[in-house]
Amino acid sequence: MRVPASCLAGLILSCASSSKGPAASSPGTPSAAVPAGPADETSAKDFARKTNEDLLRLSIRSNTADWIKNTYITDDTERVAAAANDELLGYTAAAVKSAARWNGARVDPETGRMLYLLRTSSSLAAPADAARRLELTTLAARLEGLYGKGKYCRVGKCRDLEELSDLVGKSRDPKELLEAWTGWHSISREMRPLYARFVALANEGAREIGFADSGAMWRAAYDMPPESFPLEMDRLWGQVKPLYDDLHCYVRAKLQEKYGKELVKDDAPIPAHLLGNMWAQEWTKIYPLVEPYPDAAQLDVTSSMVGMGLTPERMVQLGVGFFTSIGLPEVPQSFWVRSLFQKPRDRDVVCHASAWDIDAEEDVRLKMCIKIEEEDLVTIHHEVGHIYYDLAYRKQPFLFRAGANDAFHEAIGDTIALSVTPGYLRRLRLIQQEPRDEKGLIDVQLKEALDRVAFLPFGLLIDRWRWDVFSGKVTPDRYNAAWWELRRRYQGVAAPVERTEADFDPGAKYHVPANVPYSRYFLARILQFQFHRALCKTIGFKGPLHACTINNNVKAGERLWNTLSLGASKPWQDALEAMTGEREMDAGAILEDFAPLQKWLAAQNRGRRCGF
């Protein structure tokens, strides 16, 4: 997850050039300038220049306050962050209102692009009324704070998300798993009324700038008609759904062998607490239960990491080293001083991994409570990818210091993670040898699919739920029921115990209380394979796609850097073409990568009762 300088953590995760309703500025906050005279090209340029300058100053202040709030959670830091966020929201609200002056006017392409981003690249719009705007920012800080401080306490012992997630990933006792799952999901009940009010205020702000609701505002940010965006998501999901269905059928059958058909039934969704992840979004932790050929490939990377004595900082150095190996520059020295790599013992922090661009220049940071395990090593490569994207476009005007769309930022990090192949791990001495036969390949691909393929429907459904909440199709009295209807429909996953409207299970996932749009993660899983395929063609790789790594290849690094340097200055279709030569997103690269596994899964599932 990325928190750029043009973004407000937990509020504006696409760009600080957010679409807000008109509001008075706070004391000391610069007012959005509207040059006098005709609404012509010169006045539009002057407006864009001043808006870039002001947003940069306000963004630095807001990002700094939000970093402190995330790394030192107290009531005071929440208030300070809310106040800084309110300043930014107030300014951008006035800027969006002022920008409407040039609607329909003829302006140069660069200025027109800035005005478009100013209106559409926000994840939160504030109401015009200053009191309600402050209420909105206070609610946002409170919701994220409740998540960050969340703990499940029983018999005098309290466990936070890190401890509960460890248990869910390692335990094979269904009763123990159920307690951890229900315990964590209990922390979000308090959020329910706060979230309902948050939705009402956010929608008020969105309507004031011309959108039907906040969901419509999110969908407008993809350089296509807003009504076309869900159709595009459906098209891409249709490409990959057969592969997911094959994976689901195989995994359910293996879990039946472990837990019995009384708990894991035929033709039914898989209970959410059995998949090794608190949200059942990735299934890598249950790999030992579903591994096809236990003796074929030695893939215990975590044990090797522990045996080598790797530290969190050394793991980050490995991630940075991948990027420097393809010709990208070293990260600034301040990155190593100001980042947070380990969970402090003396205070609450938001441990959710995120990359931060504080000042849109060189103050880039990683916030992550790193554990010595393979999953975190891959996550580090992903987060460092965000950092390099931030560094690549830092010479752009402020409004262009973002990804071509929000999915691009996520996809770049994951593209690099695709190069964390067995060959790459062997060069790091984290495995002794690469798989040498088909059985070893299937082991590797299944492990990868439990992460990247298993995630796809989860990445799709979170915003489907929120779009319906924002539009009013799902009302507060059906928040939880609608959530689990989508979980069953897309994932084939069900709650392990009866849930009611006293629960607020969506709030147990960080991105909901933090108001982070989630479609970006689904699209990133599509784009990363498309990017990877293009980079592998760039270096002239001739083998199967799943075996390609761009590590140590400067030619691939040059193509990557040139694309990243565009930032948001061009529509994403142009950036996609610069990287891949194609102008349409294509999930075909996923199917190409996992072709051996999909063929194997189809053979394994013959005679099984699939579907849910």
Side-chain angles (χ1 to χ4, degrees):
M1 173 184 163
R2 169 202 175 237
V3 183
S6 55
C7 296
L8 185 58
L11 291 177
I12 304 169
L13 266 292
S14 307
C15 180
S17 53
S18 53
S19 309
K20 308 296 183 297
S25 298
S26 302
T29 302
S31 298
V34 184
D40 57 14
E41 185 171 329
T42 299
S43 64
K45 282 185 175 181
D46 289 342
F47 171 79
R49 176 190 53 76
K50 185 175 188 303
T51 300
N52 273 299
E53 293 171 353
D54 291 343
L55 284 173
L56 175 58
R57 288 195 297 271
L58 292 169
S59 177
I60 293 171
R61 184 182 306 170
S62 174
N63 290 338
T64 302
D66 225 43
W67 171 268
I68 296 170
K69 184 199 73 175
N70 274 260
T71 57
Y72 204 111
I73 302 173
T74 69
D75 291 344
D76 288 340
T77 59
E78 287 180 9
R79 279 193 291 268
V80 171
N85 294 348
D86 182 62
E87 283 191 298
L88 181 53
L89 284 167
Y91 178 86
T92 51
V96 170
K97 182 180 180 181
S98 299
R101 185 168 183 261
W102 291 276
N103 286 350
R106 181 169 296 179
V107 298
D108 65 279
E110 182 177 271
T111 302
R113 178 74 178 164
M114 289 181 183
L115 296 176
Y116 165 77
L117 292 172
L118 184 60
R119 184 171 185 268
T120 64
S121 294
S122 168
S123 67
L124 186 65
D129 180 80
R132 289 201 293 277
R133 188 183 72 234
L134 182 57
E135 182 186 1
L136 179 63
T137 57
T138 302
L139 281 170
R142 176 65 176 153
L143 284 164
E144 190 172 5
L146 284 171
Y147 185 94
K149 292 184 288 190
K151 292 181 177 66
Y152 168 56
C153 300
R154 182 174 179 269
V155 196
K157 180 181 180 181
C158 294
R159 290 179 288 183
D160 61 16
L161 178 59
E162 296 297 302
E163 295 169 298
L164 293 169
S165 292
D166 282 345
L167 191 153
V168 168
K170 295 174 182 177
S171 176
R172 303 297 181 241
D173 179 346
K175 291 183 179 179
E176 193 173 41
L177 291 169
L178 181 60
E179 182 186 353
W181 188 94
T182 55
W184 176 250
H185 283 74
S186 70
I187 67 100
S188 54
R189 289 173 183 160
E190 186 180 350
M191 299 178 188
R192 188 185 182 95
L194 304 179
Y195 190 76
R197 178 61 177 161
F198 175 88
V199 167
L201 291 169
N203 278 342
E204 183 179 336
R207 285 192 293 270
E208 288 176 1
I209 58 171
F211 295 103
D213 55 65
S214 290
M217 185 176 71
W218 290 4
R219 296 190 296 274
Y222 282 90
D223 293 300
M224 64 174 66
E227 62 273 14
S228 299
F229 184 62
L231 300 178
E232 180 71 355
M233 298 277 280
D234 288 339
R235 179 184 69 82
L236 294 168
W237 171 238
Q239 285 185 273
V240 296
K241 185 178 184 298
L243 174 58
Y244 177 80
D245 288 345
D246 286 342
L247 180 66
H248 183 281
C249 187
Y250 171 79
V251 167
R252 184 174 61 191
K254 300 299 285 186
L255 291 177
Q256 280 182 342
E257 294 177 10
K258 171 63 178 178
Y259 296 111
K261 288 193 175 185
E262 184 176 346
L263 186 56
V264 184
K265 297 178 174 60
D266 284 324
D267 304 324
I270 300 171
H273 65 311
L274 301 181
L275 288 162
N277 175 273
M278 188 62 77
W279 309 278
Q281 68 179 63
E282 289 121 357
W283 306 345
T284 50
K285 293 296 179 66
I286 64 164
Y287 177 72
L289 298 180
V290 302
E291 185 178 11
Y293 305 108
D295 298 326
Q298 300 301 314
L299 298 174
D300 191 356
V301 175
T302 297
S303 293
S304 296
M305 293 167 63
V306 173
M308 291 172 63
L310 290 187
T311 63
E313 183 167 355
R314 178 56 184 151
M315 289 169 64
V316 178
Q317 289 171 350
L318 291 175
V320 170
F322 186 102
F323 288 86
T324 58
S325 83
I326 61 174
L328 274 57
E330 289 283 355
V331 294
Q333 185 59 34
S334 61
F335 170 82
W336 302 105
V337 176
R338 297 171 180 170
S339 293
L340 185 150
F341 297 152
Q342 298 185 65
K343 183 178 180 180
R345 296 181 178 180
D346 62 341
R347 64 187 189 271
D348 289 321
V349 302
V350 177
C351 275
H352 188 88
S354 54
W356 292 64
D357 181 3
I358 299 293
D359 66 352
E361 287 289 342
E362 292 196 348
D363 190 354
V364 289
R365 309 178 189 182
L366 172 63
K367 177 186 65 63
M368 183 176 175
C369 303
I370 298 172
K371 293 176 284 190
I372 312 302
E373 60 184 34
E374 179 184 7
E375 183 177 348
D376 278 18
L377 180 64
V378 175
T379 298
I380 287 166
H381 282 74
H382 168 95
E383 297 299 340
V384 174
H386 286 307
I387 296 294
Y388 274 98
Y389 209 156
D390 294 332
L391 294 173
Y393 56 56
R394 62 183 173 177
K395 294 183 180 179
Q396 292 280 1
F398 182 78
L399 286 171
F400 291 161
R401 294 178 193 176
N405 63 38
D406 57 7
F408 266 61
H409 235 294
E410 297 300 328
I412 291 302
D414 279 337
T415 298
I416 299 306
L418 286 175
S419 281
V420 183
T421 61
Y424 173 68
L425 293 172
R426 182 179 58 80
R427 286 194 285 277
L428 296 181
R429 296 182 298 160
L430 293 174
I431 60 175
Q432 296 301 312
Q433 62 182 32
E434 301 174 50
R436 296 180 178 179
D437 57 19
E438 183 182 1
K439 289 182 177 180
L441 171 61
I442 295 303
D443 275 358
V444 170
Q445 287 220 307
L446 181 66
K447 189 174 185 180
E448 184 81 1
L450 293 174
D451 177 357
R452 301 183 188 279
V453 178
F455 174 83
L456 289 167
F458 187 79
L460 188 70
L461 69 87
I462 288 186
D463 279 354
R464 291 294 168 99
W465 179 82
R466 283 191 290 195
W467 293 344
D468 286 347
V469 167
F470 286 134
S471 72
K473 182 179 178 180
V474 170
T475 53
D477 63 325
R478 290 200 70 253
Y479 276 173
N480 228 44
W483 172 258
W484 286 107
E485 287 167 7
L486 289 171
R487 299 288 301 270
R488 288 189 291 270
R489 173 184 169 189
Y490 285 104
Q491 278 188 291
V493 168
V497 292
E498 183 179 356
R499 310 303 285 167
T500 72
E501 293 305 324
D503 300 303
F504 184 55
D505 293 331
K509 175 62 181 171
Y510 171 79
H511 299 74
V512 173
N515 197 49
V516 181
Y518 214 77
S519 297
R520 64 182 66 174
Y521 301 104
F522 171 79
L523 294 175
R525 295 296 170 109
I526 305 298
L527 287 169
Q528 64 190 254
F529 285 90
Q530 195 171 356
F531 291 168
H532 183 59
R533 180 174 62 186
L535 291 174
C536 290
K537 288 179 179 178
T538 298
I539 66 175
F541 183 78
K542 300 299 183 183
L545 185 58
H546 59 76
C548 175
T549 178
I550 64 168
N551 180 238
N552 287 318
N553 195 293
V554 176
K555 190 175 182 181
E558 181 180 4
R559 188 180 190 97
L560 179 66
W561 187 259
N562 288 341
T563 302
L564 302 187
S565 299
L566 293 174
S569 65
K570 304 290 183 183
W572 65 261
Q573 294 90 340
D574 293 347
L576 179 65
E577 186 173 25
M579 177 77 89
T580 68
E582 302 161 330
R583 294 187 62 83
E584 184 177 76
M585 289 182 282
D586 176 29
I590 296 179
L591 303 179
E592 180 181 342
D593 190 285
F594 286 106
L597 176 67
Q598 188 168 19
K599 180 180 178 181
W600 182 86
L601 287 172
Q604 298 301 308
N605 289 334
R606 287 194 192 106
R608 286 178 176 153
R609 295 167 60 182
C610 297
F612 43 83

